[in-house]
Amino acid sequence: MKRQTWLASALTVAVTAGLAAVATTAEAAAGCQVTYTVTNQWQGGFGADVTITNLGDPINGWRLSWTYTAGQTVTQLWNGTVSQSGAQVTVTNAAYNGAIATGGTASFGFNGSWTSANPAPAGFSLNGVACTGSTTPTSSPTASPTSSPTSSPTPSPTSSPTPTDPATTPPAPSSFSNPVVWQDFADGDIIRVGDAYYYSASTMHYSPGAPILRSYDLVNWEYAGHSVPRLDFDSSAYDLSGGRAYVKGIWASAFNYRPSNSTFYWLGCTEFNRTYVYASTSIAAGWAKKARINKCYYDAGLLFDNDTPYVAYGNSTISVAQLSSDLTAEVRSQTVYTTPSSIGTLEGSRMYKRGSYYYIWLTRPANGQYVLRSTSPWGPYEQRQVLLNLPGPISGGGVPHQGGLVQTQNGDWWYMAFTDAYPGGRMPTLAPITWSGDGWPVLQTVNGRWGATYPRPNLPWHPLSPMTGPDSFTGGALGPQWEWNHNPDTSKVSVGNGLRLSTATVTNDLYNARNTLTRRIQGPSSTATIQLDYSGMANGDRAGLAMLRDQSAWIGIRKDNGATRVSMTSGLTMSTSGWTTTGTGAEQAGAAVSGGRIWLRVSANIQPGSGRTATFSYSTNGSTFTPLGPAFTLNNDWQFFMGYRFGVFNYATSALGGSVTVNQFTVS
């Protein structure tokens, strides 16, 4: 994602706290200098680098604090851990940069948000000692200070380094925290190709479907592409034409790579009666439908064994199918395991080969994981329980389950599951796997639970493009972080000079409106802000920013009788039986606006549990935001499966012809 620099580089702010004086004492001494550099700034957001220079005795573990004076908020931080209470910000060291020798430095960077102004903090304290640029003895000094050095420490750069630049990549941390991705990516299948790891997930009615994430260390992930460029599933309902496909489409599906032809494959069953196969030689492009097989490989896992494709699938009754070499037809299928009633339901198959054994990895929704083992793909299979009712790493969340196994290039094994964490969705969660002496996988726990932290994989740490930040829609196509609610009408969309959305549907129901563009919400809480040019709207049009799920609300512009007003609307609801609309919403608050441009904002708390809320606000100048309407309580039921998303929409209630342009969308 590209970050738009809102201020010219000449306006970059750099503040140094204290002087560059050094004192020495016979007893312990503390002292510090802090360089705080605003590296870039855009409307409503900024990036900053902070360098701590230790002027006192060596320290092992640091805590830096400061107070903002204009309401700024730290939204994303690297090389440390941040907490913020009101204006007070505290950053503690990461596992790998806690030790600072005398004269040594430690650095971290972050993204932040601001509203009316963005002044630098006036002062800092390190481990409770004010950073004045000189040392303070922690007991009585016995020696006089020496003269100050003739040069100050190396200043921070005026721009942030590219995360993937090897010359600026910081040393690898010693541990990682779960969830490794706090966004909704459920039913994952994970593979390794060379030194790269890929993770595929469910998307149901969102298009393009089957998103792919990429990593090189299993901890840091970035958007890479989609396996299904359009929901081409032989039904116009996926186009919101003559029907709707909510909670249909892409469920748990299979994803793998075939070395013999250097090709990636995706395979998934839709609507319980047909299976589609897509393939590409590239993760990011070239995906195309190869086959429709008129049989449902439910919750499938795909294995290439000596180039022969096998699929494990089923619910409670688990089967294995052998496919033709080109994956377009079935050669053979056989039931290999029937789940005993004492276990209940098993599904979510993944199939692996390790040594002389075939393994089928199965989930007991939504609180267990089991594994089958045989020396033949056709069985007979033995069964073992991997986990059941194991406490998870997300406070208020569920038991990690489903997902898949992957072996690193160093020979280690890891399990990437997901954790139910509604209203946000299901979050990818990582843990190490070892193997017992008799060849069964064993999950490594921490104090009897799935660890909130683990030692990081023995892989080079590889920071990637952040999964949050701004998008100004200046490229020729949307990035892989975006998905439409059902297939879009591409004749009504353009990008390059902002995102232009012409009305594509005449309706009074947002759930029926085509071309609603969605973005996952970053947990545990985050804010989406759009800059909207509404000067091209027609009478009867509705455009704005939604919290989108089966119970929804939005902030946006209503244009009626030539007048425009900003509106907060809630009460958009669906039934859980057939996902039909039961409420089209009613305005809760509004105000007249003019001028053709507005900033709309939603701040969402998606920590798992009931009573979580989203709040709405707007601005006519991009800096001062006015709250609008009551807080919207999010639905944390699981039946819709997908979690809440931010949604950008524009639809007509009277006639087509109007349009809006989104000049920027930022998730912070």
Side-chain angles (χ1 to χ4, degrees), residues 262-286:
S262 304
T263 299
F264 295 92
Y265 290 87
W266 176 91
L267 179 150
C269 166
T270 66
E271 301 182 44
F272 304 100
N273 61 19
R274 56 198 189 272
T275 297
Y276 295 90
V277 179
Y278 282 71
S280 176
T281 57
S282 168
I283 282 292

mmCIF file with all atom_site columns, all heavy atoms in Angstrom, residues 262-286:
data_model
loop_
_atom_site.group_PDB
_atom_site.id
_atom_site.type_symbol
_atom_site.label_atom_id
_atom_site.label_alt_id
_atom_site.label_comp_id
_atom_site.label_asym_id
_atom_site.label_entity_id
_atom_site.label_seq_id
_atom_site.pdbx_PDB_ins_code
_atom_site.Cartn_x
_atom_site.Cartn_y
_atom_site.Cartn_z
_atom_site.occupancy
_atom_site.B_iso_or_equiv
_atom_site.pdbx_formal_charge
_atom_site.auth_seq_id
_atom_site.auth_comp_id
_atom_site.auth_asym_id
_atom_site.auth_atom_id
_atom_site.pdbx_PDB_model_num
ATOM 1   N N   . SER A 1 262 ? 4.992   -26.434 -11.500 1.00 0.00 ? 262 SER A N   1
ATOM 2   C CA  . SER A 1 262 ? 5.142   -25.105 -10.887 1.00 0.00 ? 262 SER A CA  1
ATOM 3   C C   . SER A 1 262 ? 3.813   -24.349 -10.855 1.00 0.00 ? 262 SER A C   1
ATOM 4   O O   . SER A 1 262 ? 3.731   -23.167 -11.184 1.00 0.00 ? 262 SER A O   1
ATOM 5   C CB  . SER A 1 262 ? 6.194   -24.280 -11.640 1.00 0.00 ? 262 SER A CB  1
ATOM 6   O OG  . SER A 1 262 ? 7.427   -24.948 -11.686 1.00 0.00 ? 262 SER A OG  1
ATOM 7   N N   . THR A 1 263 ? 2.765   -25.037 -10.403 1.00 0.00 ? 263 THR A N   1
ATOM 8   C CA  . THR A 1 263 ? 1.423   -24.471 -10.453 1.00 0.00 ? 263 THR A CA  1
ATOM 9   C C   . THR A 1 263 ? 0.755   -24.553 -9.081  1.00 0.00 ? 263 THR A C   1
ATOM 10  O O   . THR A 1 263 ? 0.866   -25.565 -8.381  1.00 0.00 ? 263 THR A O   1
ATOM 11  C CB  . THR A 1 263 ? 0.564   -25.218 -11.487 1.00 0.00 ? 263 THR A CB  1
ATOM 12  O OG1 . THR A 1 263 ? 1.166   -25.068 -12.779 1.00 0.00 ? 263 THR A OG1 1
ATOM 13  C CG2 . THR A 1 263 ? -0.858  -24.680 -11.541 1.00 0.00 ? 263 THR A CG2 1
ATOM 14  N N   . PHE A 1 264 ? 0.068   -23.458 -8.730  1.00 0.00 ? 264 PHE A N   1
ATOM 15  C CA  . PHE A 1 264 ? -0.766  -23.422 -7.535  1.00 0.00 ? 264 PHE A CA  1
ATOM 16  C C   . PHE A 1 264 ? -2.186  -23.861 -7.905  1.00 0.00 ? 264 PHE A C   1
ATOM 17  O O   . PHE A 1 264 ? -2.689  -23.526 -8.989  1.00 0.00 ? 264 PHE A O   1
ATOM 18  C CB  . PHE A 1 264 ? -0.820  -22.007 -6.950  1.00 0.00 ? 264 PHE A CB  1
ATOM 19  C CG  . PHE A 1 264 ? 0.501   -21.499 -6.449  1.00 0.00 ? 264 PHE A CG  1
ATOM 20  C CD1 . PHE A 1 264 ? 1.342   -20.773 -7.281  1.00 0.00 ? 264 PHE A CD1 1
ATOM 21  C CD2 . PHE A 1 264 ? 0.895   -21.724 -5.140  1.00 0.00 ? 264 PHE A CD2 1
ATOM 22  C CE1 . PHE A 1 264 ? 2.556   -20.292 -6.822  1.00 0.00 ? 264 PHE A CE1 1
ATOM 23  C CE2 . PHE A 1 264 ? 2.105   -21.250 -4.673  1.00 0.00 ? 264 PHE A CE2 1
ATOM 24  C CZ  . PHE A 1 264 ? 2.941   -20.540 -5.516  1.00 0.00 ? 264 PHE A CZ  1
ATOM 25  N N   . TYR A 1 265 ? -2.833  -24.573 -6.977  1.00 0.00 ? 265 TYR A N   1
ATOM 26  C CA  . TYR A 1 265 ? -4.204  -25.025 -7.192  1.00 0.00 ? 265 TYR A CA  1
ATOM 27  C C   . TYR A 1 265 ? -5.079  -24.627 -6.009  1.00 0.00 ? 265 TYR A C   1
ATOM 28  O O   . TYR A 1 265 ? -4.646  -24.690 -4.842  1.00 0.00 ? 265 TYR A O   1
ATOM 29  C CB  . TYR A 1 265 ? -4.263  -26.548 -7.358  1.00 0.00 ? 265 TYR A CB  1
ATOM 30  C CG  . TYR A 1 265 ? -3.656  -27.046 -8.638  1.00 0.00 ? 265 TYR A CG  1
ATOM 31  C CD1 . TYR A 1 265 ? -2.291  -27.323 -8.720  1.00 0.00 ? 265 TYR A CD1 1
ATOM 32  C CD2 . TYR A 1 265 ? -4.435  -27.246 -9.777  1.00 0.00 ? 265 TYR A CD2 1
ATOM 33  C CE1 . TYR A 1 265 ? -1.721  -27.782 -9.900  1.00 0.00 ? 265 TYR A CE1 1
ATOM 34  C CE2 . TYR A 1 265 ? -3.871  -27.708 -10.961 1.00 0.00 ? 265 TYR A CE2 1
ATOM 35  C CZ  . TYR A 1 265 ? -2.524  -27.968 -11.012 1.00 0.00 ? 265 TYR A CZ  1
ATOM 36  O OH  . TYR A 1 265 ? -1.955  -28.420 -12.180 1.00 0.00 ? 265 TYR A OH  1
ATOM 37  N N   . TRP A 1 266 ? -6.304  -24.238 -6.333  1.00 0.00 ? 266 TRP A N   1
ATOM 38  C CA  . TRP A 1 266 ? -7.346  -24.027 -5.323  1.00 0.00 ? 266 TRP A CA  1
ATOM 39  C C   . TRP A 1 266 ? -8.526  -24.903 -5.691  1.00 0.00 ? 266 TRP A C   1
ATOM 40  O O   . TRP A 1 266 ? -8.903  -24.995 -6.871  1.00 0.00 ? 266 TRP A O   1
ATOM 41  C CB  . TRP A 1 266 ? -7.774  -22.558 -5.291  1.00 0.00 ? 266 TRP A CB  1
ATOM 42  C CG  . TRP A 1 266 ? -8.903  -22.297 -4.332  1.00 0.00 ? 266 TRP A CG  1
ATOM 43  C CD1 . TRP A 1 266 ? -8.795  -21.954 -3.023  1.00 0.00 ? 266 TRP A CD1 1
ATOM 44  C CD2 . TRP A 1 266 ? -10.309 -22.372 -4.618  1.00 0.00 ? 266 TRP A CD2 1
ATOM 45  N NE1 . TRP A 1 266 ? -10.051 -21.812 -2.474  1.00 0.00 ? 266 TRP A NE1 1
ATOM 46  C CE2 . TRP A 1 266 ? -10.989 -22.062 -3.425  1.00 0.00 ? 266 TRP A CE2 1
ATOM 47  C CE3 . TRP A 1 266 ? -11.060 -22.674 -5.759  1.00 0.00 ? 266 TRP A CE3 1
ATOM 48  C CZ2 . TRP A 1 266 ? -12.389 -22.039 -3.336  1.00 0.00 ? 266 TRP A CZ2 1
ATOM 49  C CZ3 . TRP A 1 266 ? -12.451 -22.659 -5.685  1.00 0.00 ? 266 TRP A CZ3 1
ATOM 50  C CH2 . TRP A 1 266 ? -13.096 -22.340 -4.485  1.00 0.00 ? 266 TRP A CH2 1
ATOM 51  N N   . LEU A 1 267 ? -9.125  -25.534 -4.682  1.00 0.00 ? 267 LEU A N   1
ATOM 52  C CA  . LEU A 1 267 ? -10.253 -26.431 -4.910  1.00 0.00 ? 267 LEU A CA  1
ATOM 53  C C   . LEU A 1 267 ? -11.279 -26.203 -3.818  1.00 0.00 ? 267 LEU A C   1
ATOM 54  O O   . LEU A 1 267 ? -10.934 -26.209 -2.627  1.00 0.00 ? 267 LEU A O   1
ATOM 55  C CB  . LEU A 1 267 ? -9.758  -27.875 -4.910  1.00 0.00 ? 267 LEU A CB  1
ATOM 56  C CG  . LEU A 1 267 ? -10.735 -29.022 -5.096  1.00 0.00 ? 267 LEU A CG  1
ATOM 57  C CD1 . LEU A 1 267 ? -10.028 -30.196 -5.777  1.00 0.00 ? 267 LEU A CD1 1
ATOM 58  C CD2 . LEU A 1 267 ? -11.306 -29.498 -3.749  1.00 0.00 ? 267 LEU A CD2 1
ATOM 59  N N   . GLY A 1 268 ? -12.554 -25.966 -4.194  1.00 0.00 ? 268 GLY A N   1
ATOM 60  C CA  . GLY A 1 268 ? -13.565 -25.712 -3.189  1.00 0.00 ? 268 GLY A CA  1
ATOM 61  C C   . GLY A 1 268 ? -14.955 -26.107 -3.625  1.00 0.00 ? 268 GLY A C   1
ATOM 62  O O   . GLY A 1 268 ? -15.325 -25.965 -4.797  1.00 0.00 ? 268 GLY A O   1
ATOM 63  N N   . CYS A 1 269 ? -15.733 -26.590 -2.663  1.00 0.00 ? 269 CYS A N   1
ATOM 64  C CA  . CYS A 1 269 ? -17.135 -26.945 -2.885  1.00 0.00 ? 269 CYS A CA  1
ATOM 65  C C   . CYS A 1 269 ? -18.015 -25.741 -2.584  1.00 0.00 ? 269 CYS A C   1
ATOM 66  O O   . CYS A 1 269 ? -17.819 -25.045 -1.579  1.00 0.00 ? 269 CYS A O   1
ATOM 67  C CB  . CYS A 1 269 ? -17.523 -28.104 -1.975  1.00 0.00 ? 269 CYS A CB  1
ATOM 68  S SG  . CYS A 1 269 ? -19.298 -28.399 -1.848  1.00 0.00 ? 269 CYS A SG  1
ATOM 69  N N   . THR A 1 270 ? -19.003 -25.473 -3.446  1.00 0.00 ? 270 THR A N   1
ATOM 70  C CA  . THR A 1 270 ? -19.982 -24.424 -3.197  1.00 0.00 ? 270 THR A CA  1
ATOM 71  C C   . THR A 1 270 ? -21.372 -25.034 -3.109  1.00 0.00 ? 270 THR A C   1
ATOM 72  O O   . THR A 1 270 ? -21.715 -25.948 -3.871  1.00 0.00 ? 270 THR A O   1
ATOM 73  C CB  . THR A 1 270 ? -19.966 -23.348 -4.301  1.00 0.00 ? 270 THR A CB  1
ATOM 74  O OG1 . THR A 1 270 ? -20.411 -23.934 -5.524  1.00 0.00 ? 270 THR A OG1 1
ATOM 75  C CG2 . THR A 1 270 ? -18.574 -22.778 -4.491  1.00 0.00 ? 270 THR A CG2 1
ATOM 76  N N   . GLU A 1 271 ? -22.127 -24.515 -2.157  1.00 0.00 ? 271 GLU A N   1
ATOM 77  C CA  . GLU A 1 271 ? -23.541 -24.843 -1.987  1.00 0.00 ? 271 GLU A CA  1
ATOM 78  C C   . GLU A 1 271 ? -23.786 -26.346 -1.877  1.00 0.00 ? 271 GLU A C   1
ATOM 79  O O   . GLU A 1 271 ? -24.838 -26.861 -2.262  1.00 0.00 ? 271 GLU A O   1
ATOM 80  C CB  . GLU A 1 271 ? -24.378 -24.206 -3.099  1.00 0.00 ? 271 GLU A CB  1
ATOM 81  C CG  . GLU A 1 271 ? -24.231 -22.687 -3.106  1.00 0.00 ? 271 GLU A CG  1
ATOM 82  C CD  . GLU A 1 271 ? -25.081 -22.005 -4.161  1.00 0.00 ? 271 GLU A CD  1
ATOM 83  O OE1 . GLU A 1 271 ? -26.255 -22.365 -4.319  1.00 0.00 ? 271 GLU A OE1 1
ATOM 84  O OE2 . GLU A 1 271 ? -24.551 -21.099 -4.832  1.00 0.00 ? 271 GLU A OE2 1
ATOM 85  N N   . PHE A 1 272 ? -22.788 -27.066 -1.375  1.00 0.00 ? 272 PHE A N   1
ATOM 86  C CA  . PHE A 1 272 ? -22.912 -28.484 -1.015  1.00 0.00 ? 272 PHE A CA  1
ATOM 87  C C   . PHE A 1 272 ? -23.157 -29.418 -2.201  1.00 0.00 ? 272 PHE A C   1
ATOM 88  O O   . PHE A 1 272 ? -23.477 -30.590 -2.004  1.00 0.00 ? 272 PHE A O   1
ATOM 89  C CB  . PHE A 1 272 ? -24.040 -28.698 0.022   1.00 0.00 ? 272 PHE A CB  1
ATOM 90  C CG  . PHE A 1 272 ? -23.882 -27.883 1.267   1.00 0.00 ? 272 PHE A CG  1
ATOM 91  C CD1 . PHE A 1 272 ? -24.604 -26.715 1.440   1.00 0.00 ? 272 PHE A CD1 1
ATOM 92  C CD2 . PHE A 1 272 ? -22.998 -28.270 2.263   1.00 0.00 ? 272 PHE A CD2 1
ATOM 93  C CE1 . PHE A 1 272 ? -24.461 -25.946 2.588   1.00 0.00 ? 272 PHE A CE1 1
ATOM 94  C CE2 . PHE A 1 272 ? -22.848 -27.515 3.415   1.00 0.00 ? 272 PHE A CE2 1
ATOM 95  C CZ  . PHE A 1 272 ? -23.575 -26.348 3.573   1.00 0.00 ? 272 PHE A CZ  1
ATOM 96  N N   . ASN A 1 273 ? -22.958 -28.928 -3.438  1.00 0.00 ? 273 ASN A N   1
ATOM 97  C CA  . ASN A 1 273 ? -23.288 -29.832 -4.549  1.00 0.00 ? 273 ASN A CA  1
ATOM 98  C C   . ASN A 1 273 ? -22.345 -29.762 -5.742  1.00 0.00 ? 273 ASN A C   1
ATOM 99  O O   . ASN A 1 273 ? -22.552 -30.487 -6.714  1.00 0.00 ? 273 ASN A O   1
ATOM 100 C CB  . ASN A 1 273 ? -24.726 -29.590 -5.020  1.00 0.00 ? 273 ASN A CB  1
ATOM 101 C CG  . ASN A 1 273 ? -24.959 -28.179 -5.529  1.00 0.00 ? 273 ASN A CG  1
ATOM 102 O OD1 . ASN A 1 273 ? -24.021 -27.461 -5.863  1.00 0.00 ? 273 ASN A OD1 1
ATOM 103 N ND2 . ASN A 1 273 ? -26.219 -27.778 -5.575  1.00 0.00 ? 273 ASN A ND2 1
ATOM 104 N N   . ARG A 1 274 ? -21.337 -28.915 -5.722  1.00 0.00 ? 274 ARG A N   1
ATOM 105 C CA  . ARG A 1 274 ? -20.413 -28.866 -6.843  1.00 0.00 ? 274 ARG A CA  1
ATOM 106 C C   . ARG A 1 274 ? -19.067 -28.326 -6.366  1.00 0.00 ? 274 ARG A C   1
ATOM 107 O O   . ARG A 1 274 ? -18.997 -27.541 -5.420  1.00 0.00 ? 274 ARG A O   1
ATOM 108 C CB  . ARG A 1 274 ? -20.955 -28.017 -7.989  1.00 0.00 ? 274 ARG A CB  1
ATOM 109 C CG  . ARG A 1 274 ? -21.321 -26.596 -7.605  1.00 0.00 ? 274 ARG A CG  1
ATOM 110 C CD  . ARG A 1 274 ? -22.240 -25.973 -8.659  1.00 0.00 ? 274 ARG A CD  1
ATOM 111 N NE  . ARG A 1 274 ? -22.464 -24.550 -8.467  1.00 0.00 ? 274 ARG A NE  1
ATOM 112 C CZ  . ARG A 1 274 ? -23.434 -24.048 -7.705  1.00 0.00 ? 274 ARG A CZ  1
ATOM 113 N NH1 . ARG A 1 274 ? -24.255 -24.848 -7.026  1.00 0.00 ? 274 ARG A NH1 1
ATOM 114 N NH2 . ARG A 1 274 ? -23.588 -22.733 -7.610  1.00 0.00 ? 274 ARG A NH2 1
ATOM 115 N N   . THR A 1 275 ? -18.011 -28.732 -7.048  1.00 0.00 ? 275 THR A N   1
ATOM 116 C CA  . THR A 1 275 ? -16.656 -28.349 -6.669  1.00 0.00 ? 275 THR A CA  1
ATOM 117 C C   . THR A 1 275 ? -15.974 -27.698 -7.862  1.00 0.00 ? 275 THR A C   1
ATOM 118 O O   . THR A 1 275 ? -16.078 -28.183 -8.997  1.00 0.00 ? 275 THR A O   1
ATOM 119 C CB  . THR A 1 275 ? -15.853 -29.576 -6.212  1.00 0.00 ? 275 THR A CB  1
ATOM 120 O OG1 . THR A 1 275 ? -16.470 -30.128 -5.043  1.00 0.00 ? 275 THR A OG1 1
ATOM 121 C CG2 . THR A 1 275 ? -14.408 -29.215 -5.902  1.00 0.00 ? 275 THR A CG2 1
ATOM 122 N N   . TYR A 1 276 ? -15.245 -26.611 -7.595  1.00 0.00 ? 276 TYR A N   1
ATOM 123 C CA  . TYR A 1 276 ? -14.522 -25.887 -8.639  1.00 0.00 ? 276 TYR A CA  1
ATOM 124 C C   . TYR A 1 276 ? -13.026 -25.977 -8.380  1.00 0.00 ? 276 TYR A C   1
ATOM 125 O O   . TYR A 1 276 ? -12.577 -25.996 -7.230  1.00 0.00 ? 276 TYR A O   1
ATOM 126 C CB  . TYR A 1 276 ? -14.952 -24.422 -8.680  1.00 0.00 ? 276 TYR A CB  1
ATOM 127 C CG  . TYR A 1 276 ? -16.398 -24.247 -9.073  1.00 0.00 ? 276 TYR A CG  1
ATOM 128 C CD1 . TYR A 1 276 ? -17.412 -24.228 -8.109  1.00 0.00 ? 276 TYR A CD1 1
ATOM 129 C CD2 . TYR A 1 276 ? -16.767 -24.114 -10.412 1.00 0.00 ? 276 TYR A CD2 1
ATOM 130 C CE1 . TYR A 1 276 ? -18.741 -24.083 -8.469  1.00 0.00 ? 276 TYR A CE1 1
ATOM 131 C CE2 . TYR A 1 276 ? -18.098 -23.959 -10.780 1.00 0.00 ? 276 TYR A CE2 1
ATOM 132 C CZ  . TYR A 1 276 ? -19.081 -23.954 -9.800  1.00 0.00 ? 276 TYR A CZ  1
ATOM 133 O OH  . TYR A 1 276 ? -20.395 -23.813 -10.170 1.00 0.00 ? 276 TYR A OH  1
ATOM 134 N N   . VAL A 1 277 ? -12.272 -26.015 -9.461  1.00 0.00 ? 277 VAL A N   1
ATOM 135 C CA  . VAL A 1 277 ? -10.813 -26.048 -9.396  1.00 0.00 ? 277 VAL A CA  1
ATOM 136 C C   . VAL A 1 277 ? -10.283 -24.844 -10.155 1.00 0.00 ? 277 VAL A C   1
ATOM 137 O O   . VAL A 1 277 ? -10.659 -24.605 -11.316 1.00 0.00 ? 277 VAL A O   1
ATOM 138 C CB  . VAL A 1 277 ? -10.243 -27.344 -10.013 1.00 0.00 ? 277 VAL A CB  1
ATOM 139 C CG1 . VAL A 1 277 ? -8.714  -27.337 -9.948  1.00 0.00 ? 277 VAL A CG1 1
ATOM 140 C CG2 . VAL A 1 277 ? -10.814 -28.569 -9.308  1.00 0.00 ? 277 VAL A CG2 1
ATOM 141 N N   . TYR A 1 278 ? -9.431  -24.062 -9.494  1.00 0.00 ? 278 TYR A N   1
ATOM 142 C CA  . TYR A 1 278 ? -8.754  -22.920 -10.114 1.00 0.00 ? 278 TYR A CA  1
ATOM 143 C C   . TYR A 1 278 ? -7.254  -23.164 -10.035 1.00 0.00 ? 278 TYR A C   1
ATOM 144 O O   . TYR A 1 278 ? -6.770  -23.848 -9.115  1.00 0.00 ? 278 TYR A O   1
ATOM 145 C CB  . TYR A 1 278 ? -9.101  -21.614 -9.391  1.00 0.00 ? 278 TYR A CB  1
ATOM 146 C CG  . TYR A 1 278 ? -10.462 -21.045 -9.740  1.00 0.00 ? 278 TYR A CG  1
ATOM 147 C CD1 . TYR A 1 278 ? -11.627 -21.667 -9.300  1.00 0.00 ? 278 TYR A CD1 1
ATOM 148 C CD2 . TYR A 1 278 ? -10.579 -19.893 -10.508 1.00 0.00 ? 278 TYR A CD2 1
ATOM 149 C CE1 . TYR A 1 278 ? -12.876 -21.154 -9.618  1.00 0.00 ? 278 TYR A CE1 1
ATOM 150 C CE2 . TYR A 1 278 ? -11.830 -19.369 -10.828 1.00 0.00 ? 278 TYR A CE2 1
ATOM 151 C CZ  . TYR A 1 278 ? -12.966 -20.001 -10.382 1.00 0.00 ? 278 TYR A CZ  1
ATOM 152 O OH  . TYR A 1 278 ? -14.203 -19.480 -10.707 1.00 0.00 ? 278 TYR A OH  1
ATOM 153 N N   . ALA A 1 279 ? -6.494  -22.584 -10.972 1.00 0.00 ? 279 ALA A N   1
ATOM 154 C CA  . ALA A 1 279 ? -5.043  -22.805 -10.997 1.00 0.00 ? 279 ALA A CA  1
ATOM 155 C C   . ALA A 1 279 ? -4.331  -21.582 -11.543 1.00 0.00 ? 279 ALA A C   1
ATOM 156 O O   . ALA A 1 279 ? -4.904  -20.786 -12.301 1.00 0.00 ? 279 ALA A O   1
ATOM 157 C CB  . ALA A 1 279 ? -4.697  -24.028 -11.843 1.00 0.00 ? 279 ALA A CB  1
ATOM 158 N N   . SER A 1 280 ? -3.071  -21.438 -11.151 1.00 0.00 ? 280 SER A N   1
ATOM 159 C CA  . SER A 1 280 ? -2.224  -20.362 -11.659 1.00 0.00 ? 280 SER A CA  1
ATOM 160 C C   . SER A 1 280 ? -0.769  -20.716 -11.381 1.00 0.00 ? 280 SER A C   1
ATOM 161 O O   . SER A 1 280 ? -0.455  -21.400 -10.401 1.00 0.00 ? 280 SER A O   1
ATOM 162 C CB  . SER A 1 280 ? -2.565  -19.032 -10.981 1.00 0.00 ? 280 SER A CB  1
ATOM 163 O OG  . SER A 1 280 ? -1.680  -18.008 -11.410 1.00 0.00 ? 280 SER A OG  1
ATOM 164 N N   . THR A 1 281 ? 0.122   -20.217 -12.223 1.00 0.00 ? 281 THR A N   1
ATOM 165 C CA  . THR A 1 281 ? 1.554   -20.358 -11.963 1.00 0.00 ? 281 THR A CA  1
ATOM 166 C C   . THR A 1 281 ? 2.094   -19.194 -11.138 1.00 0.00 ? 281 THR A C   1
ATOM 167 O O   . THR A 1 281 ? 3.274   -19.170 -10.798 1.00 0.00 ? 281 THR A O   1
ATOM 168 C CB  . THR A 1 281 ? 2.339   -20.451 -13.281 1.00 0.00 ? 281 THR A CB  1
ATOM 169 O OG1 . THR A 1 281 ? 2.052   -19.289 -14.076 1.00 0.00 ? 281 THR A OG1 1
ATOM 170 C CG2 . THR A 1 281 ? 1.957   -21.712 -14.039 1.00 0.00 ? 281 THR A CG2 1
ATOM 171 N N   . SER A 1 282 ? 1.233   -18.231 -10.818 1.00 0.00 ? 282 SER A N   1
ATOM 172 C CA  . SER A 1 282 ? 1.622   -17.068 -10.027 1.00 0.00 ? 282 SER A CA  1
ATOM 173 C C   . SER A 1 282 ? 0.600   -16.842 -8.927  1.00 0.00 ? 282 SER A C   1
ATOM 174 O O   . SER A 1 282 ? -0.604  -17.008 -9.151  1.00 0.00 ? 282 SER A O   1
ATOM 175 C CB  . SER A 1 282 ? 1.724   -15.815 -10.910 1.00 0.00 ? 282 SER A CB  1
ATOM 176 O OG  . SER A 1 282 ? 1.836   -14.644 -10.128 1.00 0.00 ? 282 SER A OG  1
ATOM 177 N N   . ILE A 1 283 ? 1.072   -16.463 -7.761  1.00 0.00 ? 283 ILE A N   1
ATOM 178 C CA  . ILE A 1 283 ? 0.153   -16.172 -6.661  1.00 0.00 ? 283 ILE A CA  1
ATOM 179 C C   . ILE A 1 283 ? -0.695  -14.944 -6.963  1.00 0.00 ? 283 ILE A C   1
ATOM 180 O O   . ILE A 1 283 ? -1.900  -14.908 -6.707  1.00 0.00 ? 283 ILE A O   1
ATOM 181 C CB  . ILE A 1 283 ? 0.956   -15.949 -5.357  1.00 0.00 ? 283 ILE A CB  1
ATOM 182 C CG1 . ILE A 1 283 ? 1.394   -17.302 -4.785  1.00 0.00 ? 283 ILE A CG1 1
ATOM 183 C CG2 . ILE A 1 283 ? 0.149   -15.183 -4.326  1.00 0.00 ? 283 ILE A CG2 1
ATOM 184 C CD1 . ILE A 1 283 ? 0.258   -18.159 -4.257  1.00 0.00 ? 283 ILE A CD1 1
ATOM 185 N N   . ALA A 1 284 ? -0.092  -13.915 -7.519  1.00 0.00 ? 284 ALA A N   1
ATOM 186 C CA  . ALA A 1 284 ? -0.746  -12.613 -7.620  1.00 0.00 ? 284 ALA A CA  1
ATOM 187 C C   . ALA A 1 284 ? -1.614  -12.450 -8.855  1.00 0.00 ? 284 ALA A C   1
ATOM 188 O O   . ALA A 1 284 ? -2.447  -11.538 -8.904  1.00 0.00 ? 284 ALA A O   1
ATOM 189 C CB  . ALA A 1 284 ? 0.307   -11.502 -7.587  1.00 0.00 ? 284 ALA A CB  1
ATOM 190 N N   . ALA A 1 285 ? -1.462  -13.294 -9.864  1.00 0.00 ? 285 ALA A N   1
ATOM 191 C CA  . ALA A 1 285 ? -2.190  -13.071 -11.120 1.00 0.00 ? 285 ALA A CA  1
ATOM 192 C C   . ALA A 1 285 ? -2.318  -14.395 -11.862 1.00 0.00 ? 285 ALA A C   1
ATOM 193 O O   . ALA A 1 285 ? -1.670  -15.390 -11.525 1.00 0.00 ? 285 ALA A O   1
ATOM 194 C CB  . ALA A 1 285 ? -1.455  -12.047 -11.989 1.00 0.00 ? 285 ALA A CB  1
ATOM 195 N N   . GLY A 1 286 ? -3.168  -14.375 -12.877 1.00 0.00 ? 286 GLY A N   1
ATOM 196 C CA  . GLY A 1 286 ? -3.266  -15.513 -13.774 1.00 0.00 ? 286 GLY A CA  1
ATOM 197 C C   . GLY A 1 286 ? -4.199  -16.616 -13.329 1.00 0.00 ? 286 GLY A C   1
ATOM 198 O O   . GLY A 1 286 ? -4.300  -17.658 -14.001 1.00 0.00 ? 286 GLY A O   1
#
